[in-house]
Coordinates of all heavy atoms in Angstrom, one line a residue:
M1 N 0.8 -1.2 0.0 CA 0.0 0.0 0.0 C 0.8 1.3 0.0 O 0.4 2.3 -0.5 CB -0.9 0.0 1.2 CG -2.0 -1.0 1.1 SD -2.9 -0.9 -0.4 CE -4.5 -0.9 0.1
I2 N 2.1 1.2 0.5 CA 2.9 2.3 0.5 C 3.3 2.7 -0.9 O 3.3 3.9 -1.2 CB 4.2 2.0 1.3 CG1 3.9 1.8 2.8 CG2 5.2 3.2 1.2 CD1 5.1 1.4 3.6
F3 N 3.5 1.7 -1.8 CA 3.9 2.1 -3.1 C 2.7 2.7 -3.9 O 2.9 3.7 -4.6 CB 4.3 0.8 -3.9 CG 4.5 1.0 -5.3 CD1 5.7 1.7 -5.7 CD2 3.6 0.6 -6.3 CE1 6.0 1.9 -7.1 CE2 3.9 0.9 -7.6 CZ 5.0 1.5 -8.0
I4 N 1.5 2.2 -3.6 CA 0.3 2.8 -4.3 C 0.1 4.2 -3.8 O -0.2 5.1 -4.6 CB -0.9 1.9 -4.1 CG1 -0.8 0.6 -4.8 CG2 -2.2 2.6 -4.6 CD1 -1.8 -0.4 -4.4
G5 N 0.2 4.4 -2.5 CA 0.0 5.8 -1.9 C 1.1 6.7 -2.4 O 0.7 7.9 -2.8
A6 N 2.3 6.3 -2.5 CA 3.4 7.2 -3.0 C 3.2 7.5 -4.5 O 3.4 8.6 -4.9 CB 4.7 6.5 -2.7
A7 N 2.7 6.5 -5.2 CA 2.4 6.7 -6.6 C 1.3 7.7 -6.8 O 1.4 8.6 -7.7 CB 2.1 5.4 -7.3
L8 N 0.3 7.6 -6.0 CA -0.8 8.6 -6.1 C -0.4 10.0 -5.7 O -0.8 11.0 -6.4 CB -2.0 8.2 -5.1 CG -2.9 7.1 -5.6 CD1 -3.9 6.7 -4.5 CD2 -3.6 7.5 -6.8
L9 N 0.5 10.1 -4.7 CA 1.0 11.4 -4.4 C 1.9 12.0 -5.5 O 1.8 13.2 -5.8 CB 1.8 11.3 -3.1 CG 1.1 11.1 -1.8 CD1 2.0 10.7 -0.6 CD2 0.3 12.4 -1.4
A10 N 2.7 11.1 -6.1 CA 3.5 11.6 -7.2 C 2.7 12.0 -8.4 O 3.0 13.1 -9.1 CB 4.5 10.5 -7.6
V11 N 1.7 11.2 -8.8 CA 0.9 11.5 -9.9 C 0.1 12.8 -9.7 O -0.1 13.7 -10.6 CB -0.1 10.4 -10.3 CG1 -1.1 10.8 -11.3 CG2 0.7 9.2 -10.8
A12 N -0.4 13.0 -8.5 CA -1.2 14.2 -8.1 C -0.3 15.4 -8.2 O -0.7 16.5 -8.8 CB -1.8 14.1 -6.7
A13 N 0.9 15.3 -7.7 CA 1.8 16.5 -7.8 C 2.2 16.8 -9.2 O 2.2 18.0 -9.6 CB 3.1 16.2 -7.0
G14 N 2.5 15.8 -10.0 CA 2.8 16.0 -11.4 C 1.7 16.6 -12.2 O 1.9 17.5 -13.0
W15 N 0.5 16.1 -12.0 CA -0.7 16.6 -12.7 C -0.9 18.0 -12.3 O -1.2 18.9 -13.2 CB -1.9 15.7 -12.3 CG -3.2 16.0 -13.0 CD1 -3.5 17.0 -13.8 CD2 -4.4 15.2 -12.9 NE1 -4.8 16.9 -14.2 CE2 -5.3 15.8 -13.7 CE3 -4.7 14.0 -12.2 CZ2 -6.6 15.2 -13.8 CZ3 -5.9 13.5 -12.4 CH2 -6.9 14.1 -13.2
F16 N -0.9 18.4 -11.0 CA -1.2 19.7 -10.6 C -0.1 20.7 -11.1 O -0.5 21.8 -11.7 CB -1.2 19.8 -9.1 CG -1.4 21.2 -8.5 CD1 -2.6 21.8 -8.7 CD2 -0.4 21.9 -7.9 CE1 -2.8 23.1 -8.3 CE2 -0.6 23.2 -7.5 CZ -1.8 23.8 -7.7
F17 N 1.2 20.4 -11.0 CA 2.2 21.3 -11.5 C 2.2 21.5 -13.0 O 2.5 22.5 -13.5 CB 3.6 20.9 -11.0 CG 3.7 21.1 -9.5 CD1 4.0 20.1 -8.7 CD2 3.5 22.4 -9.0 CE1 4.2 20.4 -7.3 CE2 3.6 22.7 -7.6 CZ 4.0 21.6 -6.8
Y18 N 1.8 20.4 -13.7 CA 1.6 20.6 -15.2 C 0.5 21.5 -15.5 O 0.6 22.4 -16.4 CB 1.4 19.2 -15.8 CG 1.0 19.3 -17.3 CD1 2.0 19.7 -18.2 CD2 -0.3 19.1 -17.7 CE1 1.7 19.8 -19.6 CE2 -0.6 19.3 -19.1 CZ 0.4 19.6 -20.0 OH 0.1 19.8 -21.3
K19 N -0.6 21.4 -14.8 CA -1.7 22.3 -15.1 C -1.4 23.8 -14.6 O -1.9 24.7 -15.3 CB -3.0 21.8 -14.4 CG -3.6 20.6 -15.0 CD -4.0 20.8 -16.4 CE -4.6 19.5 -17.0 NZ -5.5 19.7 -18.1
V20 N -0.6 23.9 -13.6 CA -0.2 25.3 -13.2 C 0.7 25.9 -14.3 O 0.6 27.0 -14.7 CB 0.6 25.2 -11.9 CG1 1.3 26.5 -11.6 CG2 -0.4 25.0 -10.7
Y21 N 1.6 25.0 -14.9 CA 2.4 25.5 -16.0 C 1.5 25.8 -17.2 O 1.8 26.9 -17.9 CB 3.4 24.3 -16.4 CG 4.1 24.6 -17.7 CD1 5.1 25.5 -17.8 CD2 3.7 23.9 -18.8 CE1 5.8 25.7 -19.0 CE2 4.4 24.1 -20.0 CZ 5.4 25.0 -20.1 OH 6.0 25.2 -21.3
V22 N 0.5 25.0 -17.5 CA -0.4 25.3 -18.6 C -1.1 26.6 -18.4 O -1.3 27.5 -19.3 CB -1.4 24.2 -18.9 CG1 -2.5 24.6 -19.8 CG2 -0.6 23.0 -19.4
A23 N -1.6 26.8 -17.1 CA -2.3 28.0 -16.8 C -1.5 29.3 -17.0 O -1.9 30.3 -17.4 CB -2.9 28.0 -15.4
Y24 N -0.2 29.1 -16.7 CA 0.7 30.3 -16.7 C 1.1 30.6 -18.2 O 1.2 31.8 -18.6 CB 1.9 30.0 -15.9 CG 2.9 31.2 -15.8 CD1 2.6 32.3 -15.1 CD2 4.1 31.2 -16.6 CE1 3.4 33.4 -15.1 CE2 4.9 32.3 -16.6 CZ 4.6 33.4 -15.8 OH 5.4 34.5 -15.8
T25 N 1.4 29.6 -19.0 CA 2.0 29.8 -20.3 C 1.0 29.9 -21.4 O 1.3 30.2 -22.5 CB 3.0 28.7 -20.6 OG1 2.3 27.4 -20.6 CG2 4.1 28.7 -19.7
S26 N -0.3 29.6 -21.2 CA -1.3 29.6 -22.3 C -2.3 30.7 -22.2 O -3.5 30.4 -22.1 CB -2.0 28.2 -22.4 OG -2.7 28.1 -21.2
A27 N -1.8 31.9 -22.3 CA -2.7 33.1 -22.2 C -3.6 33.0 -21.0 O -4.8 33.2 -21.1 CB -3.5 33.2 -23.5
G28 N -3.1 32.7 -19.9 CA -3.9 32.7 -18.7 C -4.8 31.5 -18.6 O -5.8 31.6 -17.9
G29 N -4.5 30.4 -19.2 CA -5.3 29.2 -19.2 C -6.5 29.3 -20.1 O -7.3 28.4 -20.1
T30 N -6.6 30.3 -20.9 CA -7.7 30.4 -21.8 C -7.4 30.1 -23.3 O -8.2 30.2 -24.2 CB -8.3 31.8 -21.7 OG1 -7.3 32.8 -22.1 CG2 -8.8 32.1 -20.4
D31 N -6.1 29.9 -23.6 CA -5.7 29.6 -25.0 C -6.3 28.3 -25.5 O -6.1 27.3 -24.9 CB -4.2 29.6 -25.0 CG -3.6 29.6 -26.4 OD1 -4.4 30.1 -27.3 OD2 -2.5 29.2 -26.6
F32 N -7.0 28.4 -26.5 CA -7.7 27.2 -27.1 C -8.6 26.5 -26.1 O -8.9 25.3 -26.2 CB -6.7 26.2 -27.6 CG -5.8 26.7 -28.6 CD1 -4.4 26.9 -28.4 CD2 -6.2 27.2 -29.9 CE1 -3.5 27.4 -29.3 CE2 -5.3 27.7 -30.8 CZ -4.0 27.8 -30.5
A33 N -9.1 27.2 -25.2 CA -10.1 26.7 -24.2 C -9.5 25.5 -23.5 O -10.2 24.5 -23.3 CB -11.4 26.4 -24.8
L34 N -8.3 25.6 -23.0 CA -7.6 24.5 -22.3 C -8.3 24.3 -21.0 O -8.4 25.2 -20.2 CB -6.1 24.8 -22.1 CG -5.3 24.8 -23.4 CD1 -3.9 25.3 -23.1 CD2 -5.2 23.4 -24.0
P35 N -8.6 23.1 -20.6 CA -9.2 22.8 -19.3 C -8.1 22.7 -18.3 O -7.2 21.9 -18.4 CB -9.9 21.5 -19.5 CG -9.2 20.8 -20.6 CD -8.7 21.9 -21.5
I36 N -8.1 23.6 -17.3 CA -7.1 23.5 -16.2 C -7.7 23.3 -14.9 O -7.0 22.9 -13.9 CB -6.3 24.8 -16.2 CG1 -7.1 26.0 -16.0 CG2 -5.4 25.0 -17.4 CD1 -6.4 27.3 -15.6
Y37 N -9.0 23.5 -14.7 CA -9.6 23.3 -13.4 C -9.9 21.9 -13.0 O -10.3 21.7 -11.9 CB -10.9 24.2 -13.3 CG -10.5 25.6 -13.1 CD1 -10.6 26.5 -14.2 CD2 -10.0 26.1 -11.9 CE1 -10.2 27.8 -14.0 CE2 -9.5 27.4 -11.8 CZ -9.6 28.2 -12.8 OH -9.2 29.5 -12.7
D38 N -9.6 20.9 -13.8 CA -9.6 19.6 -13.4 C -8.5 19.4 -12.3 O -8.6 18.5 -11.5 CB -9.4 18.6 -14.5 CG -8.2 18.7 -15.3 OD1 -7.6 19.8 -15.3 OD2 -7.7 17.7 -15.9
A39 N -7.4 20.2 -12.4 CA -6.3 20.1 -11.5 C -6.7 20.6 -10.1 O -6.0 20.4 -9.1 CB -5.1 20.9 -12.0
A40 N -7.8 21.3 -10.0 CA -8.3 21.8 -8.7 C -9.2 20.7 -8.1 O -9.6 20.8 -6.9 CB -9.1 23.1 -8.8
M41 N -9.6 19.7 -8.8 CA -10.5 18.7 -8.3 C -9.8 17.4 -8.0 O -9.9 16.9 -6.9 CB -11.7 18.5 -9.3 CG -12.6 19.6 -9.5 SD -13.8 19.5 -10.8 CE -14.1 17.8 -10.9
Y42 N -9.2 16.8 -9.0 CA -8.7 15.5 -8.9 C -7.4 15.3 -8.1 O -7.3 14.4 -7.3 CB -8.6 14.8 -10.3 CG -9.9 14.8 -11.0 CD1 -10.1 15.5 -12.2 CD2 -11.0 14.1 -10.5 CE1 -11.4 15.5 -12.8 CE2 -12.2 14.1 -11.1 CZ -12.4 14.8 -12.3 OH -13.6 14.7 -12.9
P43 N -6.3 16.1 -8.4 CA -5.1 16.0 -7.6 C -5.3 16.1 -6.1 O -4.6 15.3 -5.4 CB -4.2 17.0 -8.2 CG -4.6 17.1 -9.6 CD -6.1 17.0 -9.5
P44 N -6.1 17.0 -5.6 CA -6.2 17.0 -4.1 C -6.9 15.7 -3.6 O -6.5 15.2 -2.5 CB -7.2 18.2 -3.8 CG -6.9 19.1 -5.0 CD -6.7 18.2 -6.2
I45 N -7.8 15.2 -4.3 CA -8.4 13.9 -3.9 C -7.4 12.8 -4.0 O -7.2 12.0 -3.0 CB -9.6 13.5 -4.8 CG1 -10.7 14.5 -4.5 CG2 -10.1 12.1 -4.5 CD1 -11.9 14.4 -5.5
M46 N -6.6 12.7 -5.0 CA -5.6 11.7 -5.2 C -4.5 11.8 -4.1 O -4.1 10.8 -3.6 CB -5.0 11.8 -6.6 CG -5.9 11.3 -7.7 SD -5.2 11.6 -9.3 CE -3.7 10.7 -9.3
A47 N -4.1 13.0 -3.8 CA -3.1 13.3 -2.8 C -3.6 12.9 -1.4 O -2.8 12.3 -0.6 CB -2.6 14.7 -2.8
T48 N -4.8 13.2 -1.1 CA -5.4 12.8 0.2 C -5.5 11.3 0.3 O -5.1 10.8 1.4 CB -6.7 13.5 0.4 OG1 -6.6 14.9 0.2 CG2 -7.3 13.2 1.8
V49 N -6.0 10.6 -0.7 CA -6.0 9.2 -0.6 C -4.6 8.6 -0.6 O -4.4 7.6 0.2 CB -6.8 8.6 -1.9 CG1 -6.7 7.1 -1.9 CG2 -8.3 9.0 -1.8
G50 N -3.7 9.1 -1.3 CA -2.3 8.6 -1.2 C -1.7 8.8 0.1 O -1.0 7.9 0.7
L51 N -2.0 10.0 0.7 CA -1.5 10.2 2.1 C -2.1 9.2 3.1 O -1.4 8.7 4.0 CB -1.8 11.7 2.5 CG -1.3 12.1 3.9 CD1 0.2 12.1 3.9 CD2 -1.9 13.5 4.2
Y52 N -3.4 9.0 2.9 CA -4.1 8.0 3.8 C -3.4 6.6 3.7 O -3.2 5.9 4.7 CB -5.6 7.9 3.4 CG -6.2 6.8 4.1 CD1 -6.5 6.8 5.5 CD2 -6.5 5.6 3.4 CE1 -7.1 5.7 6.1 CE2 -7.1 4.5 4.0 CZ -7.4 4.6 5.4 OH -8.0 3.5 6.0
L53 N -3.2 6.2 2.4 CA -2.6 4.9 2.2 C -1.2 4.8 2.8 O -0.8 3.7 3.4 CB -2.6 4.5 0.7 CG -4.0 4.3 0.1 CD1 -3.8 4.1 -1.4 CD2 -4.7 3.1 0.7
V54 N -0.4 5.8 2.6 CA 0.9 5.8 3.2 C 0.9 5.8 4.7 O 1.6 5.0 5.4 CB 1.8 7.0 2.7 CG1 3.1 7.1 3.4 CG2 2.0 6.8 1.2
L55 N 0.1 6.7 5.3 CA 0.0 6.7 6.8 C -0.6 5.5 7.4 O -0.3 5.1 8.5 CB -0.7 8.0 7.2 CG 0.1 9.3 6.9 CD1 -0.7 10.5 7.4 CD2 1.4 9.3 7.5
A56 N -1.6 4.9 6.7 CA -2.2 3.7 7.2 C -1.3 2.5 7.2 O -1.3 1.7 8.1 CB -3.5 3.4 6.4
A57 N -0.4 2.5 6.2 CA 0.7 1.5 6.2 C 1.6 1.6 7.4 O 2.1 0.6 7.9 CB 1.4 1.5 4.9
Y58 N 1.9 2.8 7.8 CA 2.7 3.0 9.0 C 1.9 3.0 10.3 O 2.4 3.4 11.3 CB 3.5 4.3 8.8 CG 4.6 4.2 7.8 CD1 4.6 5.0 6.7 CD2 5.7 3.3 8.0 CE1 5.6 4.9 5.7 CE2 6.7 3.2 7.1 CZ 6.6 4.0 5.9 OH 7.6 3.9 5.0
E59 N 0.6 2.7 10.2 CA -0.3 2.7 11.3 C -0.4 4.0 12.1 O -0.4 4.0 13.4 CB 0.1 1.5 12.3 CG 0.0 0.2 11.6 CD 0.5 -1.0 12.5 OE1 0.8 -0.7 13.7 OE2 0.5 -2.1 12.0
V60 N -0.5 5.1 11.4 CA -0.7 6.4 12.0 C -2.3 6.6 12.1 O -3.0 6.6 11.1 CB -0.1 7.5 11.1 CG1 -0.4 8.9 11.7 CG2 1.4 7.3 10.9
P61 N -2.8 6.7 13.3 CA -4.2 6.7 13.6 C -4.8 8.1 13.5 O -5.2 8.7 14.5 CB -4.4 6.1 15.0 CG -3.1 6.6 15.7 CD -2.0 6.6 14.6
W62 N -5.0 8.6 12.3 CA -5.6 9.9 12.2 C -7.1 9.7 12.0 O -7.6 8.8 11.4 CB -5.1 10.7 11.0 CG -3.7 11.3 11.2 CD1 -3.0 11.3 12.3 CD2 -3.0 12.2 10.3 NE1 -1.8 12.0 12.1 CE2 -1.8 12.5 10.9 CE3 -3.3 12.6 9.0 CZ2 -0.9 13.4 10.3 CZ3 -2.4 13.4 8.4 CH2 -1.2 13.8 9.0
S63 N -7.9 10.7 12.4 CA -9.3 10.7 12.2 C -9.6 11.0 10.8 O -8.9 11.6 10.1 CB -10.0 11.8 13.1 OG -11.3 12.0 12.8
I64 N -10.8 10.5 10.3 CA -11.2 10.7 8.9 C -11.4 12.2 8.7 O -11.2 12.7 7.6 CB -12.5 9.9 8.6 CG1 -12.8 10.0 7.1 CG2 -13.7 10.5 9.4 CD1 -11.8 9.2 6.3
W65 N -11.7 13.0 9.7 CA -12.0 14.4 9.6 C -10.7 15.2 9.3 O -10.7 16.3 8.6 CB -12.7 15.0 10.8 CG -14.0 14.4 10.9 CD1 -14.4 13.5 11.9 CD2 -15.1 14.6 10.1 NE1 -15.7 13.2 11.7 CE2 -16.2 13.8 10.6 CE3 -15.3 15.3 8.9 CZ2 -17.4 13.7 9.9 CZ3 -16.6 15.3 8.3 CH2 -17.6 14.5 8.8
I66 N -9.6 14.7 9.7 CA -8.3 15.3 9.4 C -8.0 15.2 7.8 O -7.6 16.1 7.2 CB -7.1 14.7 10.2 CG1 -7.3 15.0 11.6 CG2 -5.8 15.2 9.6 CD1 -6.3 14.3 12.5
Y67 N -8.4 14.0 7.3 CA -8.2 13.8 5.8 C -9.2 14.7 5.1 O -8.8 15.2 4.0 CB -8.4 12.3 5.5 CG -7.3 11.5 6.0 CD1 -7.5 10.6 7.1 CD2 -6.0 11.6 5.5 CE1 -6.5 9.8 7.6 CE2 -5.0 10.8 6.1 CZ -5.2 9.9 7.1 OH -4.2 9.1 7.6
V68 N -10.4 14.8 5.6 CA -11.4 15.7 4.9 C -10.9 17.1 5.0 O -11.0 17.9 3.9 CB -12.8 15.6 5.6 CG1 -13.7 16.6 5.1 CG2 -13.3 14.2 5.4
A69 N -10.3 17.6 6.1 CA -9.8 18.9 6.2 C -8.6 19.1 5.2 O -8.5 20.2 4.6 CB -9.4 19.2 7.6
I70 N -7.7 18.1 5.1 CA -6.6 18.2 4.2 C -7.1 18.3 2.8 O -6.6 19.2 2.0 CB -5.7 17.0 4.4 CG1 -4.9 17.1 5.7 CG2 -4.7 16.9 3.2 CD1 -4.2 15.8 6.0
W71 N -8.1 17.6 2.4 CA -8.7 17.6 1.1 C -9.3 19.0 0.8 O -9.1 19.6 -0.3 CB -9.7 16.5 0.9 CG -10.5 16.7 -0.3 CD1 -10.1 16.6 -1.6 CD2 -11.9 17.0 -0.4 NE1 -11.1 16.8 -2.5 CE2 -12.3 17.0 -1.8 CE3 -12.9 17.2 0.5 CZ2 -13.5 17.3 -2.2 CZ3 -14.2 17.4 0.1 CH2 -14.5 17.5 -1.2
V72 N -10.1 19.5 1.7 CA -10.7 20.8 1.5 C -9.6 21.9 1.4 O -9.7 22.8 0.5 CB -11.7 21.2 2.7 CG1 -12.1 22.6 2.6 CG2 -12.9 20.2 2.6
V73 N -8.7 22.0 2.3 CA -7.6 23.0 2.2 C -6.8 22.8 0.9 O -6.5 23.8 0.3 CB -6.7 22.9 3.4 CG1 -5.4 23.7 3.3 CG2 -7.5 23.3 4.7
A74 N -6.5 21.6 0.5 CA -5.7 21.4 -0.7 C -6.5 21.9 -1.9 O -6.0 22.4 -2.9 CB -5.3 19.9 -0.9
T75 N -7.8 21.6 -1.9 CA -8.7 22.0 -3.1 C -8.7 23.6 -3.1 O -8.6 24.1 -4.2 CB -10.1 21.5 -2.9 OG1 -10.0 20.0 -2.9 CG2 -11.0 21.9 -4.1
L76 N -8.9 24.2 -2.0 CA -9.0 25.7 -2.0 C -7.6 26.3 -2.4 O -7.6 27.3 -3.2 CB -9.4 26.2 -0.6 CG -10.8 25.9 -0.2 CD1 -11.1 26.3 1.2 CD2 -11.8 26.5 -1.1
L77 N -6.6 25.7 -2.0 CA -5.2 26.1 -2.3 C -5.0 25.9 -3.8 O -4.4 26.8 -4.5 CB -4.2 25.4 -1.5 CG -2.7 25.8 -1.7 CD1 -2.5 27.3 -1.3 CD2 -1.8 24.9 -0.9
A78 N -5.4 24.8 -4.4 CA -5.3 24.6 -5.8 C -6.0 25.6 -6.6 O -5.5 26.1 -7.6 CB -5.7 23.1 -6.1
V79 N -7.3 25.9 -6.3 CA -8.0 26.9 -7.0 C -7.4 28.2 -6.9 O -7.3 28.9 -7.9 CB -9.5 27.0 -6.4 CG1 -10.2 28.2 -7.0 CG2 -10.2 25.7 -6.7
G80 N -6.9 28.6 -5.8 CA -6.2 29.9 -5.6 C -4.9 30.0 -6.5 O -4.7 31.0 -7.1
V81 N -4.1 28.9 -6.5 CA -2.9 28.9 -7.3 C -3.2 29.0 -8.7 O -2.6 29.7 -9.5 CB -2.0 27.7 -6.9 CG1 -0.9 27.5 -7.9 CG2 -1.5 27.8 -5.5
L82 N -4.2 28.2 -9.2 CA -4.6 28.3 -10.6 C -5.1 29.6 -11.0 O -4.8 30.1 -12.1 CB -5.6 27.2 -10.9 CG -5.0 25.7 -10.9 CD1 -6.1 24.7 -11.0 CD2 -4.0 25.6 -12.0
K83 N -5.9 30.2 -10.2 CA -6.4 31.6 -10.5 C -5.2 32.6 -10.6 O -5.2 33.5 -11.4 CB -7.4 32.1 -9.4 CG -8.7 31.4 -9.5 CD -9.5 32.1 -10.6 CE -11.0 31.7 -10.6 NZ -11.7 32.1 -11.7
L84 N -4.3 32.5 -9.6 CA -3.2 33.4 -9.6 C -2.3 33.2 -10.8 O -1.9 34.2 -11.5 CB -2.3 33.1 -8.3 CG -1.1 34.0 -8.2 CD1 -1.5 35.4 -8.0 CD2 -0.2 33.5 -7.0
M85 N -2.1 32.0 -11.3 CA -1.3 31.7 -12.5 C -2.0 32.2 -13.7 O -1.4 32.6 -14.7 CB -0.9 30.2 -12.6 CG 0.1 29.8 -11.6 SD 1.6 30.6 -11.7 CE 1.7 31.5 -10.2
E86 N -3.3 32.2 -13.7 CA -4.1 32.8 -14.9 C -3.8 34.2 -14.9 O -3.7 34.8 -16.0 CB -5.6 32.5 -14.7 CG -6.0 31.1 -15.1 CD -7.5 31.0 -15.0 OE1 -8.2 31.9 -14.5 OE2 -8.0 29.9 -15.3
Q87 N -3.8 34.9 -13.8 CA -3.7 36.4 -13.8 C -2.2 36.8 -14.1 O -2.0 37.8 -14.8 CB -4.0 36.9 -12.4 CG -5.5 36.7 -12.0 CD -6.4 37.4 -13.0 OE1 -6.2 38.5 -13.5 NE2 -7.5 36.6 -13.4
L88 N -1.3 36.0 -13.6 CA 0.1 36.3 -13.9 C 0.7 35.8 -15.2 O 1.7 36.3 -15.7 CB 1.0 35.7 -12.7 CG 0.8 36.2 -11.3 CD1 1.7 35.5 -10.4 CD2 1.1 37.7 -11.3
G89 N 0.0 34.9 -15.8 CA 0.5 34.2 -17.0 C 0.5 35.1 -18.2 O 0.1 36.3 -18.2
D90 N 0.9 34.5 -19.3 CA 1.0 35.2 -20.6 C -0.4 35.6 -21.0 O -1.4 34.8 -21.0 CB 1.5 34.2 -21.7 CG 3.0 33.9 -21.4 OD1 3.6 34.7 -20.7 OD2 3.4 32.9 -21.9
K91 N -0.5 36.8 -21.5 CA -1.8 37.3 -21.9 C -1.9 37.3 -23.4 O -0.9 37.5 -24.1 CB -2.0 38.8 -21.4 CG -2.0 38.9 -19.9 CD -3.2 38.1 -19.3 CE -3.1 38.1 -17.8 NZ -4.0 37.1 -17.2
P92 N -3.1 37.2 -24.0 CA -3.2 37.2 -25.5 C -2.8 38.6 -26.0 O -3.0 39.6 -25.4 CB -4.6 36.8 -25.7 CG -5.4 37.0 -24.4 CD -4.3 36.9 -23.3
L93 N -2.3 38.6 -27.2 CA -1.9 39.8 -27.8 C -3.1 40.7 -28.3 O -4.1 40.3 -28.6 CB -1.0 39.5 -29.0 CG 0.3 38.9 -28.7 CD1 1.1 38.5 -30.0 CD2 1.1 39.7 -27.8

């Protein structure tokens, strides 16, 4: 389970940072109507599940509400970062 959890964490981080890059470099995420807000939904869920799997393998007894809070905070942070990168990113000519 540690391997699956670590893989989920790595995929979530890669997915999120790729979409941040796309939001920054493609006219603020609007070039060719590129979808970037999937990175605000799926990577936080994947990262939270990955964290759960890794910590459960090490028998860390966290409450389910801690994982829910991590997911909510990660989702809000992801939305904020994507919005910021849209504003700071390349603008259309």
